[in-house]
Amino acid sequence: MSEIFLKHVNALIVSEVEPDSLAERKGIRVGDYLKQINQKPIIDILDYRFHSTATRLTMELEREGTPYRVTLRKEEDEETGLLFEHDLGDRVHTCKNKCVFCFIHQQPKKMRKSLYLMDDDFRLSFMHGNYVTLTNISDEEWARILEQRLSPLYVSVHATDPELRRILLGRREPTPILPQIRELASNRISIHAQIVLCPGWNDGEALQNTLDELVEEHPAVTGKRAGVESVAVVPVGMTRFRERLPQIDKVERDYAREMIAAVSKKEKEFQKRIGTRFVWLADEWYHIAELPYPSKSHYEEFPQLEDGIGTVRLFLESAKQVSRKLPKSVPIPIQATLVTAEMPAPIVREFANRLNEIEGVEVNVCVIQNRFFGGDIHIAGLMTATDIMEQIGSFEACYPTVYIPQIAVRDETLFLDDLTLEDVRERSGKDFRVVGNTPHALAEAMGLIAPAKRSHHHEPTWVMEESVV
């Protein structure tokens, strides 16, 4: 997704024109810039999808600096046949806050450039589940959110008290969020809220008040069609590069256990009142607390999966399903080492033990300690090539074939510290392979189960509700 930051042309660049489509018949070509539809600027894929539903489209395009116009007549649900290089044709909206917990301010130099981009873009929230503070939105952009009904949005709340939220976001003026939430809900736009929990800052009574005020915006309470549907509580993550930043206490085991007990009490209260737990704790809390992960039913419909809440449980459920499909033996022996981080290590080891029950399969697990970031970083998505190579090199039981979870690399090639998969292969002498993040993907990659049938589609489809007159 980081490649969307490369070109800022205030237009969408055509990457493909489907054969025999409306666009092809009108002479639109790959490389053309789509600038307007029916006199409405098209600066991102959401504009395109919203305005291309009309039955008559007057498109303003540009080819090698020369503008031209085409008119398409179509059925309401008929596609034009255009695909585009990137989702955004303008600059990503960046964060202007100075959050006390900001992870980007805790990163070293010489890493992947996109990692230093502090996005706070409502479009990425709608399309990809990125969390936004709603503090950098112009009146025009706010009107667009309401017009196009971009729902749901993922909102970084952290605290509902305007003064406390100001402090957490590092802003000069009180920063209320409830008025924005209420206006979104009145326009049938749902919100999934996030709280980055900083011990001593927004916990205790402040957390209780935040949850109590957010639940008042749930549709079951307000009677509206939309509102705050769920809340995620995530522990603050701190690296060894946290310099010249406010002091925040680290989340320790006993604190995590107290948090789980306190939030569990609120969950029961909310479930009795509105029929849903409403608030969920991130998987890290259970890892830090050294407690079992909740059951699948605990997560209901997994409303906060975009924030990684419930991913461990889904891994365990996938492992159960895959285990029933595994063969008793393999005709050709398989040996492999699985790379993972400290938090998912126990469940990855458990699945590796199941694989080792297959005659002819030998699998072991190399758990990577995050020395690069240090601090309390222990998730697979923040593993670096530097740590992997160093620790694989000292892992005497390492097999020639090594599997790395897809979440640790971008586009299956680039690690966080700007090294490529090929770099790692050459320097380690191992056959590193990127595999999907689920037991099913691993078993499939190892040839232990048949590949699942893949559905063919070019791009995701988002639903933007039309206005009701």
Side-chain angles (χ1 to χ4, degrees), residues 327-343:
K328 293 183 179 180
S329 63
V330 292
I332 302 174
I334 298 173
Q335 294 181 322
T337 292
L338 313 181
V339 166
T340 192
E342 291 177 291
M343 192 184 91

Side-chain angles (χ1 to χ4, degrees), residues 33 41 44 50 55 69 79 81 114 130 179 181 212 225 232 246 254 260 264 291 319-320 372 383-384 404 417 462:
Y33 288 10
D44 54 52
F50 187 76
T55 56
R69 176 186 298 173
E79 297 289 339
S114 60
N130 294 18
I181 286 175
D212 287 341
R225 289 177 56 181
D254 290 347
I260 291 172
S264 294
L291 292 175
K320 289 180 185 177
F372 188 92
M383 292 190 299
T384 62
I404 302 176
D417 46 351
W462 300 287

Side-chain angles (χ1 to χ4, degrees), residues 130-182:
N130 294 18
Y131 281 87
V132 292
T133 63
L134 300 179
T135 58
N136 67 342
I137 295 178
S138 67
D139 291 343
E140 181 181 13
E141 290 165 342
W142 186 258
R144 179 193 170 183
I145 291 173
L146 302 185
E147 178 193 14
Q148 297 183 357
R149 300 201 190 283
L150 303 182
S151 178
L153 291 179
Y154 294 80
V155 180
S156 289
V157 172
H158 309 312
T160 50
D161 177 80
E163 177 60 18
L164 177 55
R165 191 165 189 255
R166 175 194 74 78
I167 295 170
L168 291 167
L169 297 182
R171 297 180 67 84
R172 294 182 179 180
E173 301 294 334
T175 313
I177 187 63
L178 290 176
Q180 288 176 301
I181 286 175
R182 288 165 184 156

